[in-house]
Amino acid sequence: MELLIQGLNRWLGQALPNWAVVLIGMAIAITLIFVLAPLIFMFLTWLLRRGIARFADRIGPNRTGLGPFNKERTRQRWPLWGLLQPVADGVKMFTKEDIIPDKGDKVLHRIAPIAAVVPALMVFAVIPFGKDLSAVDLNVGVVYVVAVSSLFTLVLLVAGWSSNNKYSLLGAMRTAAQMVSYEVPMVLSLVVPVLFARSLSLNTIVSSQPGLRWYVFYFPLGTLAFLTYFTAALAEVNHTPFDLPEADSEIVAGYITEYSGMKFALFFMGEFINQFLVCALATVLFLGGWQGPGVGIGGPIGYLLSVFWFFVKAFALYFLFVWIRATWPRLRVDQLMGFAWKRLVPITLGNVLATGLAVVVWSLLRA
Amino acid sequence: MSRETAVHVPVEVEELETEPIVLNIGPQHPSTHGVFRMKVQLQGETIVALEPILGYLHRCQEKLAEGHTYLQSIPYTDRLDYICSMTNNHAYVLAVEKLAGIEVPRRAECIRVIMDELTRLLNHALAVGFLLNDMGAWLTPVQYGLREREKILDLFEMASGSRMMCNYMRFGGVARDLPEEFMPLLRKVVAEFPAFVDEYERFLTTNEILLARSKYVGILPPDKAIAYGVTGPVLRGSGVPYDIRKVDRYSLYGEIDFDVPVGTVGDVYDRYLVRIYEMRQSVRILEQAIRMLEDTPPGDIQSKVPKSLRPPAGEAYARIESPKGELGFYLVSDGSEKPYRWRVRAPSFVNLTPLEEMCRGHKVADIVLILGSIDITMAEVDR
Amino acid sequence: MTIVVPRHDEFRPFGSGLIKGLLVTMAHFVRSYGKRNLRVPGKEPFPGGRFGLFTVQYPEEHAPIPDRYRGLPILLYDDATGAELCTACMGCARACPIGIIHIEQGVDEAGKKIPYAQHFMIEYDSCLNCGLCAEACPFGSIVMDHHLETARTDREGFKVTKERLLRPISYYAQIAPTVWAEIREEAMKRLEGTIKRRPAGVGIVQR
């Protein structure tokens, strides 16, 4: 952000007052996020569908793409591996009938899908996508991320309640219970890298992991924190094996049972972006963020490489999500809560305590 | 149990007293395996009462058959349990043969045993796959099961001309002898199947989530299972070694050596395991049946049966061990070419009766799991 | 005789089952980029094994159809003479479980019945594909087609009359050689007799 404003200043500084330059800079950053987030969402749905298909010995969507449109177009070469499938999905979603339950809370029913996307997009503001490439460098970035992303829970509760459907209500109740429980171990795991870096700023945390000194390799404390964070994050974004709020085989689709068309798609978007965000956050906090070979090179190459490494790591983590989704069954409500409170919370609490001790001892030794 | 006679669960804390909610699961629901409806009373997520409501797929099959000749009813048996049409055929022709006193050549019996066991393989591969699907493991396990089923369906198509609606067995034999290219492929399927079962076990049997979800869930004690008349893998999962192939020794099962796997607790996990182990036993049976088939002269597949069959007046009940349990046909003949009464003892229907017994006290998520472990086909339940 | 299934109650390190499962699916993921485990017509019906993509890309690729495949019933006529094999014996109409085969026997000028179907109609939309009609036909006239793509937008089009039912024998001999070989001799012998019993020019397909 600072970089952007500096550049704009150099370019427009003479013509415009300072506040206008800052405003233009903000507008550019917001536009970029608004473009980037749906693109990531589309790519993730494609990755999920193609990935799951391959795990199950299938091909997955391969009919949409920019291929030669002759009669035998798919015989030899699959056009672009169906990369345009999300676009086709989007078109389909737009053509669907928009259903609002008669007995539901109509206002809340309309608001919920919009509100589902907002917190997800807000988190994008602080994620460092590359070297010096974050929209805002908050010095309390971690706290901001946790605070904003937990809003999603509230939205799902609203969606489930406003639908006035028993399945939706069950789904919403499960969501609330699940997210409240898993927020605790997730935040406690996030404390570990924060203690290591002695900063709440995401940029500082990344720059304190140069080379391969990623916090996940700080055995055993960092590794354990990464594992617990990953597990809690799976639950936090309703992913298999903790996808109870939308368990299709039990409560149809949970809180989105009564949603159709683009509203349904918006919930999906919020969910997928949240999934990407927990991967991105794990990348930033444990896997060195944008650190990687070649980021030290000056000029645009270094910047591009840093972005490249960030996305490689984040999507690799998402692939792990897909892998798990293709393999494991789902837990039950009581088991889920038991796992959070009886296993994860004690482990993470102990981990935070040990990390704190280790950091203090280490600084004493150094001093 | 209707809403009026709701079981009121006493709540310990008086000021927190809540009313149970009534949830309709089905008839359109992703995991009711067809159009099945369960009226469930929930206290939180715990099941207080469950009322199964049937009949959404009733097609009047028993009455229809009374208007058809005996032969014309064979295609209708395909559509009872559309996953296992071969065993349905077998049970029906067995009943008619008993009624009319028809002998069956040995080669035809061998072919019938082979088809029955192939059906068992494909049904169990699907049953465990869909059980896992109900448990939430997206589509991978069921896809692996479908892949194996595909190979067996290819064999069925080769022999009978149709993949699912086989219409293959006839009174006194089978419709046609096996085609030339059938045997090598059958041997290949039989040889490759154990590897699939082993992989499946590696994939899921010791999966901690599956263990947590299925152990001690939906327990059906052996005495209750017998009282409800449950048969098949559900009964054997409860620890009762009752297998009609062993009890009746119909067809060639008297000469074939195989074991009956039984469970100990009678929960979902036991039923899952019993199906896995039955697949292994079916492979054993198939190996023996192939050897028996090779000793019989090709072409001798049909005994003499009059073109318009008029069994003597009387009644007959014949049953076989279908993959889902005891499948029986009860026929009453009045001496004409159409049956007077045509009745199916459908295993899916009988096995469904202890559903409430098994579900009460468990969570919503367990209903679909227990239902999946019973392995029903609604077409057979409603007929 | 009776084996008790093991319940795997023994101690295992937590997560070992989960990881074993992950490895199984990963093997399938990796090997799905290898050789396709595909059923291709002309080759054996399936290559076997558990790995590789096994889906058939339908409109472009077709799974092999075995000779005995039971599609919808069709009628045959002789290539050389154009004579229809059907003699309107009503065997198929009686065999059909749902009674969708409707036959009207032809008569000569004197009003005497001749072995020839004046009208022959099958309601394709109700067909069970059970093949009992083909089994009942002693003349080898009604056989099961291999054509799969029968969708239509009009209901009337499913009432298929003789013009659309008739196919040359060579067509059937090509799609189902083994099945035709079984019934060929009998069918041809009976056809000769049928032609003799028909007045000249009756039951000849106009091409």
Side-chain angles (χ1 to χ4, degrees), chain C residues 109-144:
Chain C
E109 290 90 31
K112 209 178 115 237
K113 284 184 177 174
I114 47 174
Y116 152 69
Q118 183 100 45
H119 297 290
F120 198 110
M121 197 262 273
I122 303 180
E123 295 166 52
Y124 267 10
D125 51 348
S126 308
C127 182
L128 284 177
N129 308 67
C130 64
L132 288 181
C133 50
E135 247 169 72
C137 185
F139 301 95
S141 165
I142 193 164
V143 290
M144 305 309 272

Side-chain angles (χ1 to χ4, degrees), chain B residues 68 72 79 151 154 159-161 165-167 170 177 188 192 199 208 211 215 259-262 267 273, chain C residues 1 3 5-9 12 15 18 28 39 47 49-50 68-70 94-95 97-98 128 130 135:
Chain B
H68 286 129
Q72 281 174 345
R79 285 147 176 90
K151 300 172 181 175
D154 270 4
S160 72
M165 303 298 137
C166 296
N167 185 19
R170 295 286 179 273
D177 201 1
K188 196 168 166 180
E192 278 180 1
E199 186 192 50
E208 274 81 357
L211 293 176
K215 271 194 179 173
D259 298 329
V260 181
V262 294
D267 54 5
L273 282 176
Chain C
M1 283 306 265
I3 47 175
V5 293
R7 282 177 63 84
H8 302 282
D9 283 325
R12 277 180 315 280
L18 295 174
H28 279 271
R39 305 180 301 142
R50 308 190 308 277
R68 290 180 184 180
Y69 179 78
R70 301 198 310 261
R94 270 196 297 274
I98 34 183
L128 284 177
C130 64
E135 247 169 72

